Each structure stands twice: as C-alpha cells, then as structure tokens.
Amino acid sequence: MGDPRRPRKKYEKPYKPWDRRILEETNRLTGYYGLRNKRELWRMSSLAKKYRRIARELIAAPEEERAMAEPVIRKLQKLGVLGKDATLDDLLDLTVEQFLERRLQTIVWRKGFAKTPYMARQLVTHGHIRVNGRRIRQPGYLVTVEEEESIECTHPACLEEAAEQKVEG
C-alpha cells in the first residue's frame, strides 16, 4: 500500500522543463485554462499519456486481447474526451487539451457562470457549484457527459443573471 503520509505523485515532469518551446506551451495552457500551477497541467498530461500508452499496447497485442480496448474507449466516451464512434486509433490522438476541457473549472467557465477561468475556479473552490445536487470543490474534477447538464451555480450573481435571462427570453 505505501505510507499514507507519502502519497504517490500523479504526474510526471517534462524531460526538459526549461526548453523554450515547452515553457511557452505550458505557460500558454496554464494561463488559458486558469490553472493554479504547472502541476495541474502535468497531471492532465500524464493522464493523456497513460491512455496513449494503453492504446499502443493494445494495438501491438494479439487480436484476442484487442477486446480489452472496449472498456477503455467507453470510459473515455463517458468522460466526453472521445466521440461516439471512436476506435482504438483515436486513442493515439488524445491531447492534454481534451482532458483540460473536461475539468469542472473549464466547464463552469464555458457555460457562462463565470467570465474568466480564474473566476470559475473561485466559484468552484468556494462551493458555489453543484453537480447532480452535490457541492464539488475540486476545480480539477473531471465531469462526465451525463453530469454536464446538471451543473448549477448557487452564487447570488449567477442566480441574478439566470433570472435576467428568463425575463428577456
């Protein structure tokens, strides 16, 4: 199991973190998605890398073992990272941005509850966002396709905007 005081890292740092191209790309993504630090980006990058590695192993496996790809593909479809008619080859094209788009912070921003990703992060951490009636305070929570429609904001500013939109509509 391991020592509970020393949890395993869920991310890997880039091999050359001070490379100009890598620095520019990580800074761009960190700023665009309103991430707190590079570790959040590295965690999503490791998640994408994990599924690409699984796809490579399944493509190289014998035909009988390729049936193991179906649960992986279904999981990523449920998460909203892959489309309806995704194949094993589509797993090789996974990017960090696809996983960053499924974070609660990003979806709250895209739905219009917040004007910026930083404001969305604040709404989530302060407990103003509910998913399926449950308050979720982790901005990095990966939202499934079913849960996406049930996201609601309980902040007074969000409620006022919703009331104004009903009056106009």
Side-chain angles (χ1 to χ4, degrees), residues 115-148:
K115 294 178 182 173
T116 65
Y118 298 102
M119 183 178 172
R121 182 181 193 89
Q122 188 175 21
L123 285 174
V124 172
T125 56
H126 287 209
H128 295 297
I129 303 298
R130 295 188 181 278
V131 178
N132 283 336
R134 290 182 329 174
R135 181 174 62 186
I136 297 194
R137 291 186 164 188
Q138 293 93 10
Y141 175 78
L142 293 175
V143 180
T144 62
V145 176
E146 296 93 35
E147 292 175 336
E148 190 171 354

Side-chain angles (χ1 to χ4, degrees), residues 1-18:
M1 280 288 287
D3 189 359
R5 291 172 293 179
R6 297 181 188 274
R8 270 195 194 119
K9 284 198 276 187
K10 294 179 169 57
Y11 63 90
E12 292 177 18
K13 293 180 180 179
Y15 294 121
K16 296 182 178 180
W18 297 107

Side-chain angles (χ1 to χ4, degrees), residues 113 123 126-130 135 152-159:
F113 293 134
L123 285 174
H126 287 209
H128 295 297
I129 303 298
R130 295 188 181 278
R135 181 174 62 186
E152 56 189 30
C153 181
T154 59
H155 190 267
C158 294
L159 299 174

